[in-house]
Amino acid sequence: MARFIFITGGVVSSLGKGLASAALGALLQARGYSVRLRKLDPYLNVDPGTMSPFEHGEVFVTDDGAETDLDLGHYERFTGVAARKTDSVSSGRIYSNVLEKERRGDYLGKTIQVIPHVTNEIKDFISIGEDEVDFMLCEIGGTVGDIEGLPFFEAIRQFSQDKPRGQCVFMHLTLLPYIKASGELKTKPTQHSVKELRSIGIAPDILVCRSEGPIPQKEREKLALFCNVRPDSVIAAQDLKSIYEAPLAYHREGLDQAVLDAFNIAPAPRPNLDRWEDVADRIYNPEGEVKVAIVGKYTQLEDAYKSIAEALTHGGMANRVKVNVEWVDAEIFDTQDPAPFLEGYHAILVPGGFGERGTEGKIKAAEFARTRNVPYLGICLGMQMAVIEAARNVAGVKDAGSEEFDHEAGKKRFEPVVYHLKEWVQGNHTVARKVDDDKGGTMRLGSYTAVLSPESKVAEVYGDTQIEERHRHRYEVDLKYRDKLETCGLAFSGMSPDGRLPEIVEWKDHPWFIGVQFHPELKSKPFAPHPLFDSFVRAAKDTSRLV
Ligand code: GLN
């Protein structure tokens, strides 16, 4: 049976709870344990799939087709364990399950209440697959004291009582603000946060304290005394230059040792941190730099393209270069020449996205990359933009566009080179969709196979002709235009196994121009950079040598 680690946060949000959880997962793996990480989010959306990236950052998609919190991306990148549908849940999902059961009559006439019905539903979720791993790490979203988080805190409190003594450990992440005027790190907000946690019955075993600098012994002792934890369980989490140093930094601070001590595991197996030392070496000792433009819509919020930024970093690590990412708002050159905005970059990436805003700019970015021989990676919408650009400017389909934009505008303005998918094959059945279906969870989601043409660039990049990648889209390039586009040099080099859905396009006579209908960024890891990002950054490196 797994041991459980519950990770909660206090004082303020955005302290890096997800990262701390992911790094701890990596450290437990380094000591030979198997782990699984889970996120429990108190918000009421059933999942983040329908939330704007401005609200919630990127939506991370799992192999089994769940649209989840971006923290699951951190978990996967640090542990390499593929997340599943059952690793992410929200209040919305919990309540909807409970209400569904109530309608079915499963509660046999009982009055349905937060305790025990909602808390039981949460506890059932936490224990899914508990026999599969040594450690289950469950992060509770938000901060202690949030009204909507209460059922989750109550559930984990009960859970630790249901389990044998010593089976559950609570780790609380807080902030130690530094007051310049007095030159002090302040412990009071942490004391209050722990008090809040204890008032609902949870006594943290480990305190992880975010601070700008080291925690002096005096403050450490004060925290231990007032928060009722052991001094060596007060762990400093100092700001780092790279998130990939986090496992090493937390290890230096003694986090993994403190966790094993809290479980009374002695002697603790020795950790093997070679993987993370190599990762840190590659991050901190690059041999060159490249500049990549991400031309998108949500450029004010980096979290919107979190996995892409990380995958580019991984590509840089594979090539021993630092990738300087610059976010370029596509809307700026919707109606003007993109050259002044795009010149000087060694590669251009157009990411996924939804809706028409900024798409003319993205189409121009694809044209710029094609005609100037700049490496281009188009992801999902970025592939669709490249196809529309090719149709309009090379194949003579002057009004080429996507049905997505016509649906949004409520009128027909484009020839739909990209159309609304009505059906596709998943495993051994056909999935059907209508334009007016619900928006939540109805896209083509999760892992699907693509078959690559043997002579293509992508087959060379992957070193394979069959790949599995994660998808999240409603629209698709129309096969009707294949012949026309291929005659012009845009090869459809990756297709769904039934040959009906274009998965990859590439310009044959271009140094590096690839569009993919899926999201390769979701599977990249610092210790196993995704082949497309490895190759794309290598192409950027080659370009940087030319200029
Ligand atoms: N909006 C496009 C579609 O639904 C692209 C989606 C994406 O980029 N993830 O097909």
Side-chain angles (χ1 to χ4, degrees):
M1 200 201 304
R3 291 180 167 93
F4 290 83
I5 303 169
F6 293 106
I7 300 114
T8 57
V11 184
V12 291
S13 57
S14 308
L15 285 178
K17 229 179 333 139
L19 210 61
S21 310
L24 175 58
L27 287 175
L28 291 169
Q29 282 182 323
R31 290 188 186 254
Y33 296 109
S34 60
V35 299
R36 178 161 289 282
L37 287 102
R38 290 214 158 125
K39 179 84 192 276
L40 291 84
D41 272 307
Y43 54 72
L44 281 170
N45 303 60
V46 172
D47 62 40
T50 53
M51 279 191 234
S52 153
F54 288 124
E55 288 283 318
H56 194 262
E58 157 187 283
V59 172
F60 191 80
V61 182
T62 59
D63 281 331
D64 58 3
E67 296 177 284
T68 71
D69 188 79
L70 56 75
D71 276 326
L72 270 77
H74 287 310
Y75 302 164
E76 272 207 40
R77 284 188 282 275
F78 278 80
T79 63
V81 176
R84 300 180 191 150
K85 220 174 230 157
T86 45
D87 293 331
S88 168
V89 83
S90 64
S91 288
R93 165 72 65 206
I94 294 286
Y95 278 95
S96 127
N97 290 353
V98 168
L99 295 176
E100 223 173 82
K101 287 186 185 167
E102 186 272 338
R103 292 289 82 184
R104 271 205 313 260
D106 289 4
Y107 296 118
L108 307 174
K110 286 266 185 260
T111 307
I112 310 307
Q113 297 185 295
V114 173
I115 305 172
H117 302 98
V118 171
T119 46
N120 281 351
E121 190 70 29
I122 298 172
K123 289 195 287 182
D124 288 349
F125 173 82
I126 292 170
S127 46
I128 294 172
E130 63 179 327
D131 296 325
E132 292 173 18
V133 287
D134 299 322
F135 286 95
M136 191 80 89
L137 287 76
C138 298
E139 178 190 347
I140 314 291
T143 41
V144 57
D146 297 344
I147 289 179
E148 56 191 11
L150 276 172
F152 289 99
F153 285 96
E154 170 61 12
I156 59 175
R157 182 197 67 74
Q158 291 177 16
F159 191 91
S160 73
Q161 292 298 326
D162 298 346
K163 292 286 171 197
R165 233 178 253 282
Q167 196 83 16
C168 299
V169 156
F170 293 94
M171 170 169 137
H172 191 55
L173 202 88
T174 70
L175 174 72
L176 297 185
Y178 179 70
I179 307 294
K180 248 201 200 120
S182 60
E184 281 178 319
L185 276 181
K186 290 300 190 187
T187 63
K188 191 68 90 190
T190 299
Q191 294 179 41
H192 277 292
S193 173
V194 170
K195 200 168 150 196
E196 181 85 35
L197 204 55
R198 289 168 69 188
S199 76
I200 51 176
I202 296 173
D205 302 283
I206 291 157
L207 277 186
V208 176
C209 303
R210 271 302 286 273
S211 64
E212 279 175 42
I215 308 177
Q217 193 55 24
K218 191 173 121 252
E219 274 72 21
R220 207 178 275 270
E221 281 165 14
K222 193 166 166 189
L223 280 164
L225 182 65
F226 284 89
C227 301
N228 196 33
V229 297
R230 290 161 191 277
D232 55 8
S233 293
V234 177
I235 308 293
Q238 291 181 52
D239 298 347
L240 300 170
K241 282 217 288 299
S242 162
I243 56 168
Y244 295 118
E245 197 196 334
L248 295 177
Y250 275 123
H251 177 68
R252 282 196 299 269
E253 287 296 328
L255 175 64
D256 42 336
Q257 187 60 57
V259 167
L260 296 175
D261 287 347
F263 281 113
N264 267 323
I265 297 177
R270 289 178 68 80
N272 176 351
L273 294 166
D274 293 354
R275 168 187 272 185
W276 294 104
E277 263 143 24
D278 179 53
V279 162
D281 178 56
R282 285 171 184 274
I283 283 275
Y284 289 139
N285 302 303
E287 286 158 10
E289 297 194 9
V290 295
K291 244 169 83 173
V292 176
I294 298 188
V295 181
K297 181 164 73 168
Y298 313 107
T299 47
Q300 301 93 315
L301 186 74
E302 284 189 24
D303 270 0
Y305 303 118
K306 189 82 200 151
S307 293
I308 292 187
E310 297 307 328
L312 283 170
T313 304
H314 307 160
M317 290 158 69
N319 291 282
R320 286 214 169 259
V321 290
K322 178 171 190 300
V323 180
N324 295 310
V325 169
E326 283 180 35
W327 311 86
V328 180
D329 184 353
E331 254 183 303
I332 305 174
F333 44 80
D334 254 350
T335 53
Q336 47 176 319
D337 180 12
F341 303 94
L342 296 178
E343 270 162 357
Y345 292 106
H346 305 129
I348 293 172
L349 189 152
V350 176
F354 294 85
E356 186 172 10
R357 197 155 61 77
T359 50
E360 289 303 322
K362 292 176 192 175
I363 291 169
K364 286 199 176 132
E367 180 183 10
F368 177 89
R370 175 178 59 81
T371 53
R372 303 274 196 109
N373 281 338
V374 179
Y376 177 95
L377 176 56
I379 294 180
C380 208
L381 186 70
M383 165 194 178
Q384 298 172 358
M385 297 298 100
V387 171
I388 292 172
E389 192 278 318
R392 283 186 193 173
N393 301 329
V394 189
V397 188
K398 287 282 168 268
D399 299 325
S402 168
E403 259 191 322
E404 179 173 7
F405 315 145
D406 278 346
H407 287 154
E408 198 179 56
K411 48 185 173 238
K412 196 167 166 9
R413 298 161 299 158
F414 296 117
E415 180 167 339
V417 170
V418 177
Y419 71 104
H420 187 278
L421 258 180
K422 303 289 186 311
E423 60 170 52
W424 64 88
V425 176
Q426 182 173 33
N428 45 18
H429 71 286
T430 302
V431 182
R433 290 283 184 265
K434 293 191 298 298
V435 174
D436 55 0
D437 277 344
D438 281 355
K439 289 282 172 279
T442 53
M443 281 187 258
R444 182 170 177 250
L445 289 168
S447 187
Y448 285 89
T449 305
V451 180
L452 315 184
S453 326
E455 278 85 54
S456 62
K457 176 95 179 167
V458 276
E460 181 196 316
V461 167
Y462 276 92
D464 210 338
T465 51
Q466 186 165 319
I467 59 167
E468 311 283 328
E469 291 282 7
R470 297 183 194 169
H471 294 68
R472 181 174 186 247
H473 64 121
R474 222 181 281 289
Y475 295 86
E476 179 67 78
V477 171
D478 196 331
L479 208 51
K480 221 166 54 189
Y481 297 90
R482 180 176 187 166
D483 287 348
K484 208 178 234 174
L485 288 164
E486 289 207 318
T487 315
C488 300
L490 186 70
F492 284 44
S493 51
M495 299 294 293
S496 59
D498 62 3
R500 286 167 63 184
L501 305 179
E503 292 277 9
I504 306 174
V505 296
E506 58 186 65
W507 279 110
K508 282 215 195 88
D509 54 1
H510 189 286
W512 210 103
F513 192 114
I514 294 174
V516 293
Q517 188 54 74
F518 45 80
H519 291 273
E521 71 275 18
L522 302 178
K523 285 174 70 166
S524 188
K525 321 270 184 311
F527 44 82
H530 190 286
L532 272 173
F533 282 88
D534 177 349
S535 174
F536 179 59
V537 172
R538 194 171 326 124
K541 193 170 156 185
D542 292 344
T543 311
S544 75
R545 289 204 182 106
L546 300 174
V547 289

